[in-house]
Amino acid sequence: MNDQIAGLPYRPCVGIMLVNASGLVFVGKRIDNKEGDAWQMPQGGIDDGEDLHPAALRELAEETGVSPKLVTIIAESREEHFYDLPDELLGRLWGGKYRGQRQKWLLLRFAGEDADIRIDAHEHPEFNEWRWVEPDLLPDLIVPFKKRVYRQIVDEFRELI
C-alpha cells in the first residue's frame, strides 16, 4: 500500500445484523456486483453528526424497507471493525476519499413478517434479492475482503442470536 492510500481515513459506517424469530439472518444480493453472488447484511455510512442507532435504523429502512417499529436493538459490537478495500476498488468508491470502512455493528431482532421487507422501497435499491440464512453461512456469502469482519460479528453476536 502506498503512502497516499495508507494516509486515507476509514469511512464511518454502521452494519446491521437483522435476525428473525427463527435465528436466521437477513442478507441481500448486491445489485452493483457484476462478478456474481455478492450477498451482505445491511450497512451504510454514518452522516456527519448522526448517532449510531438512528443511522442504523435509517440504513435499514433504506435498504430493506423495514420500519423501525418492527425491530428491537439487542446489542452493539464491543469495538469498531475495520476493512480495507481491495486495490481494484481504491479510488473508485466514495469518491476516492477512503481506504476502507470502520464499522460498528448492531444486532436487531425483526418482529415483522417477510412481506414487511421491501428491498425496492428506496429510490436507489442496494439489493435485487434477499433471503434468510444461518449465521454461520454469512462469511461464505460475503465478498472476500469483508470475510474477517463477518466472522468476528457472527462470533460476537452468536449467543444473542
Side-chain angles (χ1 to χ4, degrees):
M1 181 178 300
N2 70 39
D3 289 343
Q4 183 180 6
I5 293 168
L8 291 174
Y10 287 93
R11 178 179 180 242
C13 179
V14 60
I16 301 127
M17 179 182 273
L18 182 68
V19 297
N20 66 16
S22 300
L24 300 175
V25 180
F26 173 95
V27 290
K29 185 176 177 186
R30 291 193 58 93
I31 255 175
D32 62 0
N33 188 291
K34 310 296 186 246
E35 285 83 48
D37 283 355
W39 296 81
Q40 72 176 39
M41 292 182 280
Q43 67 172 50
I46 299 172
D47 296 334
D48 287 340
E50 189 176 30
D51 290 328
L52 181 67
H53 291 199
L57 297 175
R58 175 184 53 76
E59 284 293 335
L60 183 68
E62 288 176 5
E63 295 186 11
T64 69
V66 170
S67 166
K69 296 174 185 171
L70 296 176
V71 299
T72 303
I73 297 173
I74 303 298
E76 180 179 317
S77 61
R78 290 183 293 275
E79 56 192 48
E80 284 186 311
H81 296 268
F82 293 80
Y83 71 80
D84 290 318
L85 290 171
D87 291 346
E88 65 270 14
L89 293 178
L90 279 169
R92 290 184 31 212
L93 292 183
W94 313 307
K97 297 189 312 189
Y98 304 101
R99 67 186 278 182
Q101 293 200 87
R102 59 184 179 92
Q103 302 176 315
K104 277 293 260 188
W105 280 84
L106 297 177
L107 174 64
L108 278 64
R109 177 84 56 208
F110 178 60
E113 304 292 327
D114 285 0
D116 296 318
I117 296 174
R118 296 283 316 275
I119 58 173
D120 60 350
H122 194 258
E123 184 179 343
H124 303 286
E126 293 253 345
F127 307 126
N128 57 13
E129 292 178 46
W130 72 272
R131 64 185 179 180
W132 296 108
V133 300
E134 293 288 341
D136 287 332
L137 295 178
L138 291 168
D140 296 331
L141 298 172
I142 191 67
V143 292
F145 61 94
K146 295 182 186 179
K147 283 183 186 296
R148 180 184 48 78
V149 169
Y150 270 44
R151 283 187 200 101
Q152 292 169 338
I153 296 306
V154 169
D155 287 346
E156 183 172 351
F157 290 157
R158 182 180 312 283
E159 297 302 317
L160 300 171
I161 294 172

